[in-house]
Amino acid sequence: MRRLGAAASVALVAAAPYVIFRSTFEDAATDFRWELVYLISGWGPFVLMGIGVLWFVPVVLSMHRTGYSRLYLRPVTRHACEAWGLVTYTLGFMLAIQTSQIAGLF
């Protein structure tokens, strides 16, 4: 039951950027171009949030597994994945807020 709740939380966290920053996504999709500065500054925050969500997937899969399971992660590894996921997602979210504020000026 806890694994299902954690999986639902990860799905919610994965969908949240699109719901919150929908206008920024729509503007970026209509004005998309292959420039390095544009890709890093415009899409970088959303890539960071995606990476943060991906860090949470092994944590959810290893919940309540025994040491004999293939999907088992040691607690140290699981905590490291949680920390990396939290840090990259938060950094991406904060950068996405700044990106949407800057995009709103133009």
Side-chain angles (χ1 to χ4, degrees), residues 46-80:
F46 303 109
V47 170
L48 282 173
M49 285 189 278
I51 292 170
V53 169
L54 289 177
W55 274 110
F56 286 121
V57 172
V59 174
V60 172
L61 290 177
S62 71
M63 289 178 73
H64 299 294
R65 304 280 182 179
T66 64
Y68 299 106
S69 174
R70 276 191 247 170
L71 298 175
Y72 175 75
L73 288 179
R74 294 182 313 142
V76 172
T77 308
R78 189 172 38 243
H79 294 314

Side-chain angles (χ1 to χ4, degrees), residues 3-103:
R3 191 178 309 143
L4 182 63
S9 298
V10 169
L12 179 68
V13 165
Y18 180 73
V19 173
I20 295 170
F21 302 109
R22 181 179 296 191
S23 63
T24 306
F25 270 118
E26 291 171 356
D27 290 344
T30 57
D31 192 29
F32 185 82
R33 53 192 183 273
W34 288 100
E35 296 175 5
L36 184 63
V37 174
Y38 169 74
L39 291 174
I40 291 173
S41 64
W43 290 99
F46 303 109
V47 170
L48 282 173
M49 285 189 278
I51 292 170
V53 169
L54 289 177
W55 274 110
F56 286 121
V57 172
V59 174
V60 172
L61 290 177
S62 71
M63 289 178 73
H64 299 294
R65 304 280 182 179
T66 64
Y68 299 106
S69 174
R70 276 191 247 170
L71 298 175
Y72 175 75
L73 288 179
R74 294 182 313 142
V76 172
T77 308
R78 189 172 38 243
H79 294 314
C81 288
E82 289 173 357
W84 276 104
L86 182 66
V87 167
T88 54
Y89 189 85
T90 305
L91 177 63
F93 195 81
M94 295 301 166
L95 288 172
I97 290 171
Q98 289 181 345
T99 302
S100 66
Q101 288 175 346
I102 291 170

